[in-house]
Amino acid sequence: MKRERLDKVLANMGFGTRKEVKQLVKQGRITVDGTTATDPGMHVIPEEQEISVDDEPLTYKRWIYVMLNKPPGVISATEDARHETVVDLLPYEWATKVHPVGRLDIDTEGLLLLTNDGQLSHNLLSPKKKVDKEYFARIEGRVTEQHVQAFAKGVELEDFTTLPARLEILSSGDVSEIKVTIMEGKFHQVKRMFAAFGLQVIYLKRIRMGSLHLDESLEPGEYRELTEEELDALRGRER
Ligand code: URA
């Protein structure tokens, strides 16, 4: 377990900037294992030691799990030379630690999980695990029962044939509204599946990944931490 500076730990936990938390220490408001801290630079092991602010013990969170309703126009990466990235939308203490679990195109909206838990991330992205992803989309053109059947068989693209996908038509017309569930996450997959039938996706939003549903109360650009229940379900354990 890592030893870290007390002021850094407190700042990471949202108690203010390094400068502000130094003040808290100076004011004698921080204790470590029951002893008042005097040196903001003292080294602590946050998982093992009891750090209190105004006698309130803190629970240190090593693992961060954030659900973001990704807005259009931001890149699913931790850094990019030209565009704003999804981590830029998060508070500094999370932004420096997490990575997005998979990618959504720049114009795609909706559910994106960000975490520093590499194991969970790996499990969710592993092709072997076949974690399904559900999208809502608007399609230019008429989506019909034939497309539903073709998707159910798997769609042949240039470089591979997709696994069977579930297509549900919500409305069909010059612009159709659909829900589609796919089991892979290849580059531009949903757009390419519709393009194979000459149809263009004009709006795409991910609404579910495995057991994790997008919290519809989150506006685009808003985020929240996962609940314990959501986390257990994602890990495949019921509470
Ligand atoms: N399929 C796409 O085409 N784009 C996405 O962002 C996600 C799935």
Side-chain angles (χ1 to χ4, degrees):
M1 245 157 273
K2 231 170 78 196
R3 286 156 59 85
E4 288 176 83
R5 285 178 61 105
L6 178 61
D7 53 1
K8 186 171 167 216
V9 170
L10 290 166
N12 281 348
M13 292 182 74
F15 284 93
T17 61
R18 285 265 199 119
K19 207 167 151 195
E20 284 161 352
V21 301
K22 278 193 176 104
Q23 273 309 108
L24 293 179
V25 176
K26 292 239 168 72
Q27 289 161 1
R29 293 168 60 189
I30 311 295
T31 58
V32 177
D33 292 334
T35 306
T36 303
T38 50
D39 175 11
M42 79 181 279
H43 281 85
V44 292
I45 302 177
E47 295 91 337
E48 287 183 355
Q49 292 181 284
E50 188 180 87
I51 304 170
S52 302
V53 179
D54 295 333
D55 296 325
E56 238 355 277
L58 307 177
T59 26
Y60 182 79
K61 279 196 203 137
R62 169 152 288 276
W63 304 112
I64 304 164
Y65 305 91
V66 182
M67 172 194 298
L68 169 72
N69 184 359
K70 179 190 170 299
V74 298
I75 301 260
S76 300
T78 51
E79 50 185 44
D80 189 84
R82 284 186 301 141
H83 294 277
E84 196 181 16
T85 72
V86 287
V87 298
D88 293 332
L89 301 169
L90 304 180
Y92 178 76
E93 68 269 21
W94 288 347
T96 49
K97 292 183 179 158
V98 299
H99 61 268
V101 179
R103 282 163 183 266
L104 293 175
D105 295 338
I106 187 164
D107 55 348
T108 303
E109 298 184 20
L111 176 64
L112 190 66
L113 174 64
L114 295 116
T115 183
N116 57 351
D117 181 344
Q119 185 67 50
L120 180 72
S121 181
H122 174 79
N123 287 343
L124 291 172
L125 294 176
S126 163
K128 279 193 222 126
K129 302 271 159 114
K130 296 197 177 65
V131 174
D132 54 354
K133 292 119 203 152
E134 187 174 359
Y135 294 84
F136 166 83
R138 266 185 216 109
I139 312 292
E140 194 159 71
R142 189 172 293 276
V143 179
T144 67
E145 199 50 42
Q146 277 167 352
H147 298 118
V148 174
Q149 281 165 24
F151 273 48
K153 288 197 194 113
V155 177
E156 207 176 307
L157 302 176
E158 287 123 62
D159 48 340
F160 80 113
T161 302
T162 73
L163 288 170
R166 196 175 70 239
L167 176 60
E168 186 189 341
I169 302 173
L170 303 175
S171 70
S172 185
D174 292 342
V175 170
S176 304
E177 292 194 336
I178 61 96
K179 280 186 183 171
V180 63
T181 304
I182 60 173
M183 278 189 285
E184 307 101 328
K186 297 269 167 61
F187 190 56
H188 293 335
Q189 184 166 333
V190 172
K191 291 173 187 165
R192 290 170 64 200
M193 289 171 82
F194 282 99
F197 298 93
L199 296 167
Q200 198 194 342
V201 174
I202 51 176
Y203 175 82
L204 188 60
K205 176 181 181 179
R206 182 155 65 191
I207 53 178
R208 184 173 62 81
M209 184 175 192
S211 59
L212 187 64
H213 291 257
L214 175 67
D215 181 339
E216 292 290 346
S217 71
L218 294 175
E219 297 290 332
E222 288 187 342
Y223 52 82
R224 67 157 170 81
E225 285 189 89
L226 297 198
T227 64
E228 287 293 322
E229 287 78 7
E230 286 170 333
L231 199 49
D232 281 355
L234 264 190
R235 290 183 172 135
R237 279 185 277 124
E238 293 304 321
R239 275 165 77 82

